[in-house]
Amino acid sequence: QVQLVESGGGLVQAGGSLRLSCAVSGRTFSSYAMGWFRQAPGKEREFVAAISWSGGSTFYADSVKGRFTISRDNAWNMLYLQMSSLKPEDTAVYYCAADDPIRTTPEYDYWGQGTQVTVSS
């Protein structure tokens, strides 16, 4: 079993930055690809970014490319999402997820509880 706990969400003005963290415990973190997804009220959960188990491959949604950076630290069992140039449309609950292999669709086995990100205009 794998447990994931997100942190780092909050309220930020448009143009600002936030870094989300996801602490992973349980089975070997480095065995899993990891992803970030988000869900705004009344909308489907959508892909944000994903990273392979080694960190050597990353994928981003077009809407965040160039503004968000996904990274991981396998020594500390941590996943990160650095978000810059935030826009009001980035407002959502952000979830981290773990599975193998890497994918950009929400069919991940393990999910965190989510952290709220609110971007004010």
Side-chain angles (χ1 to χ4, degrees):
Q1 194 71 8
V2 177
Q3 294 81 41
L4 299 88
V5 179
E6 302 94 337
S7 62
L11 174 64
V12 63
Q13 288 189 331
S17 299
L18 278 176
R19 189 176 82 154
L20 304 184
S21 300
C22 176
V24 183
S25 60
R27 297 179 67 181
T28 306
F29 173 67
S30 60
S31 300
Y32 292 95
M34 301 292 297
W36 285 101
F37 290 77
R38 66 187 182 187
Q39 189 166 18
K43 294 189 176 182
E44 298 280 324
R45 189 168 296 190
E46 66 172 358
F47 169 74
V48 175
I51 188 168
S52 63
W53 67 269
S54 67
S57 296
T58 57
F59 299 89
Y60 295 93
D62 288 343
S63 59
V64 307
K65 205 171 290 184
R67 300 188 298 120
F68 290 11
T69 301
I70 188 172
S71 62
R72 65 190 294 163
D73 186 335
N74 286 348
W76 290 95
N77 288 6
M78 294 294 295
L79 175 73
Y80 303 102
L81 185 69
Q82 179 67 48
M83 305 185 294
S84 303
S85 302
L86 282 161
K87 305 174 182 180
E89 51 264 43
D90 295 318
T91 296
V93 177
Y94 283 71
Y95 299 89
C96 64
D99 205 347
D100 180 54
I102 190 170
R103 53 173 63 91
T104 60
T105 54
E107 289 83 23
Y108 278 69
D109 280 347
Y110 304 104
W111 291 87
Q113 293 300 305
T115 185
Q116 176 71 46
V117 172
T118 303
V119 184
S120 62
S121 56

